[in-house]
Amino acid sequence: MSLEIMPDIEATVSGWLQSRPELTGVKIATEWPPNAPTKVVLLHRSGGETLDSSPMVADKATLQLDVYAQSKGDASDLTRMVAAVLAADFVGEVEPGVWVTSTTIGNMLYLADPDVPLAGGKPRPRYALSISTIVRPMPGAPE
């Protein structure tokens, strides 16, 4: 029997977004980066479920992308760009052995973040964007 190992969806989305020319100059990460630049997209898995779990066939993952910038307008523009790029192209083979069958853009909510303030202590502008994606597993691992 071979095992089907689900792709690391956080690493997959992060790496894919980093490769996009539309997002040049934006730091894409799964943890807050030291010496963070002006524009940061911080993402983490916030939920989901395995579809047809015996054997595992697909992973329906929900992710939250926290999009930071120096102003509310810049954060809004960047969030909408990230959403557009994901909606247009995050489907099919997004990296070798990783297949995305669908991506759905969810809520976009403004939440200024007092935990990572701008210079002067003002809360950093942030939009939270949710996405849902269905990913097929990589080829099997050794038994």
Side-chain angles (χ1 to χ4, degrees), residues 14-114:
S14 177
W16 188 85
L17 287 173
Q18 287 176 40
S19 73
R20 300 299 301 197
E22 302 90 341
L23 300 174
T24 299
V26 177
K27 177 66 177 173
I28 313 291
T30 58
E31 295 182 40
W32 189 258
N35 304 316
T38 303
K39 295 179 180 180
V40 176
V41 176
L42 188 63
L43 64 96
H44 68 273
R45 184 179 182 132
S46 57
E49 63 183 310
T50 300
L51 304 177
D52 297 326
S53 62
S54 186
M56 292 190 292
V57 173
D59 181 20
K60 182 178 182 181
T62 302
L63 294 116
Q64 178 174 319
L65 287 72
D66 292 308
V67 182
Y68 294 88
Q70 290 295 104
S71 71
K72 184 177 180 183
D74 287 348
S76 174
D77 291 347
L78 181 55
T79 303
R80 290 181 291 110
M81 175 60 75
V82 169
V85 167
L86 286 165
D89 293 330
F90 195 68
V91 68
E93 188 175 22
V94 296
E95 65 182 48
V98 178
W99 287 86
V100 174
T101 60
S102 71
T103 297
T104 304
I105 306 301
N107 295 330
M108 179 177 153
L109 178 64
Y110 182 72
L111 299 166
D113 192 344

